[in-house]
Amino acid sequence: MHFPADNSTKMLALLQHLAEVHSDAVAYVLPDRVITYRRFWSRVERACARLQGEWGVRQGDVVAYVGHGHPDALILYFALLRLGASLFPLEALAPDLVQTGLISQPVSLILHDDDMPFDTAKARPLQLLLENWCHYEPLCVEEVSSNGRLLVRADNGHTQSLTMDHLLSAMAPQARSLFVSEQIFSQDILTSVIFPALHAARELIFSATNTAGTRQRTGS
């Protein structure tokens, strides 16, 4: 299969391709359902529809994820790329550091793990992103590399903007591991674990849904 040259579009085209040729391969497992690569792409499409059609996310917006590495945050990331929006992950942080991060980077929406509620109209539980089907037809951007970015907060408090071009250029040829702990969105985990595993249609294991007491229910 020929993929587009742009790396963000290339990654999304790859996921769509995997949904067709490795449809029954397992991408990850939730406590109450198995997410195959076909379902993975379906969830990306559903997330796009809900983000844009119900929650008003537009090209150029920044959406925060606050949590402990729930695998559906990866669905959120790819959906935002498809809409030309950026993800600002705040993972495995104390509440005061989360608040500091949100002050440093204005966001249009906050999605959070179930056990981390927010008292703001901007916030939604991550599980609502995929809880049921959204019939809105989203308008996805054609050239996403210049719009959709990953905004990673460094230890010094500064924010680093990572494009898919940058991440894929650093991707390892094989996955170092298939296990993801409390942080998905570091350059090391994305380039040495998650992206190589996705390219090979392997199953990823996330501590957020693999450890008793931390499991959360999400939609189909």
Side-chain angles (χ1 to χ4, degrees):
M1 177 180 177
H2 174 71
F3 293 117
D6 167 71
N7 273 333
S8 291
T9 307
K10 180 179 179 179
M11 174 58 86
L12 294 170
L14 172 67
L15 294 174
Q16 189 172 14
H17 179 65
L18 292 175
E20 298 169 357
V21 300
H22 295 289
S23 58
D24 294 328
V26 177
Y28 59 90
V29 176
L30 295 173
D32 57 352
R33 59 181 54 84
V34 173
I35 305 303
T36 62
Y37 275 88
R38 179 179 60 240
R39 184 170 280 178
F40 189 104
W41 182 249
S42 175
R43 287 161 84 83
V44 171
E45 293 181 315
R46 185 188 313 180
C48 285
R50 178 148 291 116
L51 286 166
Q52 190 180 88
E54 295 184 6
W55 295 345
V57 173
R58 295 293 182 264
Q59 183 175 346
D61 283 356
V62 177
V63 173
Y65 164 63
V66 181
H68 296 277
H70 193 285
D72 285 342
L74 195 59
I75 300 292
L76 170 65
Y77 175 45
F78 290 127
L80 290 172
L81 277 180
R82 204 162 174 245
L83 296 175
S86 297
L87 178 66
F88 181 47
L90 296 166
E91 297 178 287
L93 294 175
D96 59 329
L97 293 178
V98 170
Q99 292 303 322
T100 299
L102 292 174
I103 292 171
S104 70
Q105 176 63 62
V107 299
S108 61
L109 181 68
I110 301 167
L111 293 182
H112 58 84
D113 287 357
D114 289 355
D115 58 351
M116 305 181 70
F118 277 78
D119 185 20
T120 171
K122 287 184 178 181
R124 303 282 190 281
L126 180 64
Q127 68 167 350
L128 294 184
L129 180 65
L130 298 160
E131 189 171 51
N132 47 49
W133 191 257
C134 177
H135 296 285
Y136 179 83
E137 290 292 334
L139 298 175
C140 300
V141 298
E142 294 182 4
E143 298 294 334
V144 298
S145 62
S146 62
N147 300 296
R149 295 171 180 263
L150 184 65
L151 305 178
V152 179
R153 188 171 182 271
D155 292 338
N156 61 10
H158 295 159
T159 300
Q160 183 181 11
S161 178
L162 301 176
T163 64
M164 187 61 75
D165 286 343
H166 177 84
L167 292 169
L168 289 186
S169 68
M171 188 181 76
Q174 294 182 344
R176 182 182 68 210
S177 168
L178 296 175
F179 182 78
V180 182
S181 60
E182 291 187 312
Q183 188 175 16
I184 295 172
F185 299 105
S186 72
Q187 180 170 328
D188 176 59
I189 295 300
L190 287 172
T191 60
S192 65
V193 178
I194 293 176
F195 286 174
L198 293 177
H199 271 255
R202 300 289 302 278
E203 178 184 347
L204 287 160
I205 300 169
F206 295 81
S207 65
T209 53
N210 194 55
T211 303
T214 63
R215 294 181 173 182
Q216 303 174 58
R217 188 184 189 284
T218 61
S220 60

